[in-house]
Amino acid sequence: MPLDKPAGASPANGAAAVAKRPGLVIAVTSGKGGVGKTNVSVNLAVALALRGRKAWILDADLGLANVDVLLGLNPRNNLSHVLQGECELRDIVLEGPAGVRIVPASSGIQRMAELSRLESSGIIHAFSEMADDIDVLIVDTAAGISSSVSMFAAAAHQVLLVVCNEPASITDGYALVKVLSRDHGIRDVQVLSNMVRSQLEGRELYQKIARVTDRYLDVTARYAGFVPHDDFLRRALQRQEPVVTAFPACRATDAFKKLAQMADTWDGPGGAQGQVEFFLEQALGVAR
């Protein structure tokens, strides 16, 4: 049975993580839908914002873009309108709870894979103008294995795989990691056990993933923790609020705060390569 691999830097590095650094990009993904991926993206971003981070979310789920729905927001435009020259990037950015900024991408994601080099330069420049305002960019990818998932996961500094304790989630999650490893050289993934009944179940779920990645792939699966089943999560969804702000004392909120604390220790490339615009440049290169 594999030992739990630490999901970030040493405690010393974690203490230093509160200092300003180039923007960290985390791709939040899953092998299948229905595992709570977008809910994790939203609450992780809000929990990071409450830690003083300038947190942004790129809603990159082409088929089921619903970050705005979870937060009760009504975007008038999305990234596709920026790519068509109808508005500027800053015009589509929404402000959510705790100052989290949301870029509603939706149908613009598919269009990103078809951009000319000149158009790519334009969108990269648009993001670069706001890079100083981004400490952490959470990319809420689509579920499953698709070109858009590969595009963002391969370019992100960290990949957070959300799994729940059901066979399809585990097998599809492993299949996604296999593709990312084989086709894009991903060597590390963070694994979050979601909607589990106990800490023990969360750890055992992670170990199911870690055993097969250790045996069959050149990938290190690191344990990012667990989020428990919590009725307050359902109540927060009904209120279209993050559970972190709606019910700050519940078990799920505690879990997301621990995840944010851990994410604050995760490494991203140093220097210029850590900037958000370089992430986009790499992602568009993968798409091409």
Side-chain angles (χ1 to χ4, degrees):
M1 180 178 294
L3 296 176
D4 297 345
K5 298 179 179 68
S10 66
N13 288 340
V18 295
K20 175 65 179 175
R21 62 180 180 184
L24 174 68
V25 181
I26 303 171
V28 181
T29 191
S30 62
K32 66 179 291 291
V35 301
K37 170 184 59 64
T38 298
N39 201 29
V40 168
S41 295
V42 167
N43 280 285
L44 173 57
V46 173
L48 283 164
L50 293 174
R51 289 177 59 82
R53 291 299 185 193
K54 298 174 184 174
W56 289 55
I57 303 173
L58 175 61
D59 189 355
D61 189 339
L62 173 62
L64 296 169
N66 58 5
V67 168
D68 53 329
V69 175
L70 288 182
L71 296 176
L73 302 173
N74 296 296
R76 296 172 56 187
N77 297 303
N78 58 46
L79 190 59
S80 65
H81 298 96
V82 178
L83 298 176
Q84 292 163 11
E86 297 177 14
C87 59
E88 299 293 327
L89 181 63
R90 67 181 77 253
D91 298 328
I92 71 169
V93 176
L94 305 173
E95 183 166 349
V100 170
R101 302 295 178 90
I102 299 101
V103 179
S106 188
S107 57
I109 293 302
Q110 189 170 33
R111 172 84 170 88
M112 284 182 75
E114 304 163 353
L115 297 180
S116 68
R117 292 192 179 275
L118 182 61
E119 290 172 320
S120 296
S121 298
I123 196 69
I124 291 167
H125 177 70
F127 268 93
S128 72
E129 290 183 327
M130 296 186 287
D132 287 343
D133 291 326
I134 304 175
D135 291 332
V136 184
L137 176 65
I138 306 293
V139 182
D140 185 49
T141 77
I145 303 169
S146 68
S147 58
S148 71
V149 174
S150 298
M151 177 172 74
F152 291 116
H157 305 141
Q158 298 286 339
V159 175
L160 178 63
L161 176 69
V162 181
V163 292
C164 62
N165 199 8
E166 58 181 56
S169 175
I170 297 167
T171 56
D172 291 353
Y174 169 76
L176 173 58
V177 174
K178 182 179 179 180
V179 168
L180 294 176
S181 170
R182 181 192 65 201
D183 296 347
H184 302 289
I186 299 293
R187 295 291 174 260
D188 286 271
V189 295
Q190 315 287 347
V191 179
L192 179 71
S193 300
N194 196 30
M195 301 187 291
V196 294
R197 290 165 293 185
S198 66
Q199 181 177 355
L200 177 61
E201 183 184 359
R203 204 172 292 272
E204 289 176 343
L205 173 55
Y206 152 75
Q207 288 170 340
K208 290 176 184 177
I209 296 284
R211 273 195 293 269
V212 288
T213 56
D214 281 355
R215 183 172 181 179
Y216 299 110
L217 304 177
D218 185 19
V219 174
T220 299
R222 304 183 186 276
Y223 188 44
F226 74 100
V227 178
H229 267 296
D230 191 335
D231 189 57
F232 284 108
L233 271 171
R234 180 185 57 81
R235 291 169 61 181
L237 286 170
Q238 291 174 338
R239 291 169 53 165
Q240 293 183 293
E241 294 180 45
V243 72
V244 171
T245 52
F247 302 104
C250 75
R251 292 190 305 141
T253 291
D254 184 57
F256 284 119
K257 287 181 176 179
K258 288 178 180 176
L259 177 61
Q261 183 177 9
M262 181 174 291
D264 236 350
T265 72
W266 291 347
D267 293 329
Q273 292 300 313
Q275 298 292 346
V276 170
E277 62 265 35
F278 283 93
F279 153 74
L280 281 168
E281 186 173 2
Q282 289 178 315
L284 292 168
V286 171
R288 282 194 292 268

